[in-house]
Amino acid sequence: MMGAPGGAAGGSGLRERPGGAGQRERAGAGGTVDVAKELINQLDWHWNNQLRPRLEGLTDREYFWEPAPGTWSLRHRGTSDAPISVGGGAMALDYAFPEPVPAPLTTIAWRLCHMLVGVLGARNASHFGGPPVDYESYVYPETAAAALQQLDEAYARWLAGVTALGSEGLERPCGPAEGPWSEAAMGTLVLHINREVIHHGAEVSLLRDLYVHEHVPHYRR
């Protein structure tokens, strides 16, 4: 699988290995903490109360909006000026290797597709029985509505898989699918995916805010 862009997308591999992520319980001043439950709730509360509501009503204009010259996006095959263009269907993602410094800005479409493939899709395939995915062969969504539908499905599979792990499952090693982090606990991977979804979701939300201020007359000065 092609490595996800680092600066542009925050990377798709594990970066840290926080200690004790898989411990079943921790005693604190307020009592015992159910670590497995808190790992799930950290992302699921954010998804249901902040991120997913912010994505409602996403339009195709927002999905493909380029906030600056040279922005990487999802484009119809054969129309990209990027050094690399990858995808298995009618649409392809802009990319370059090595990634330029500074990395280009990316559209909402690009970031959602990164979440679909490098963040959730690859991990669902490796750990929770999802279909194999990679950047080169993925059939990317051509509309905002299709992207959100695919994102909902990918998140639902991830949530169900993590929930089924239980405390003991969170303590077992990730295995060879995570490369050099194969010995890291599954709880560490869950923490990483929590960070990735929150991080990229915030970027998408900011791009929606910028789009409104750029295109809606009421917000212009």
Side-chain angles (χ1 to χ4, degrees), residues 164-185:
L165 286 173
S167 297
E168 292 186 1
L170 289 168
E171 293 178 353
R172 66 173 172 80
C174 292
E178 296 303 327
W181 296 277
S182 61
E183 294 302 313

Side-chain angles (χ1 to χ4, degrees), residues 20-46:
Q23 292 185 14
R24 298 177 187 176
E25 293 182 341
R26 279 184 176 273
T32 300
V33 176
D34 185 334
V35 176
K37 179 180 178 181
E38 293 304 322
L39 281 176
I40 294 167
N41 286 346
Q42 181 187 49
L43 180 57
D44 199 45
W45 187 95
H46 175 74

Side-chain angles (χ1 to χ4, degrees), residues 43-58 148 151-152 205 208:
L43 180 57
D44 199 45
W45 187 95
H46 175 74
W47 176 272
N48 289 310
N49 293 280
Q50 294 179 327
L51 176 55
R52 192 57 183 84
R54 289 284 279 114
L55 299 178
E56 284 298 328
L58 183 69
L148 294 182
L151 187 66
D152 287 341
S205 298
R208 288 204 78 184

Side-chain angles (χ1 to χ4, degrees), residues 85-121:
S85 184
V86 295
M91 310 296 287
L93 278 183
D94 295 338
Y95 187 53
F97 187 83
E99 186 179 281
V101 179
L105 292 176
T106 59
T107 61
I108 290 176
W110 196 100
R111 292 196 176 275
L112 290 181
C113 289
H114 169 62
M115 292 172 70
L116 286 171
V117 178
V119 178
L120 294 171

Side-chain angles (χ1 to χ4, degrees), residues 114-139:
H114 169 62
M115 292 172 70
L116 286 171
V117 178
V119 178
L120 294 171
R123 276 37 186 266
N124 282 337
S126 297
H127 303 287
F128 301 131
V133 297
D134 57 53
Y135 287 99
E136 290 86 349
S137 64
Y138 194 80
V139 178

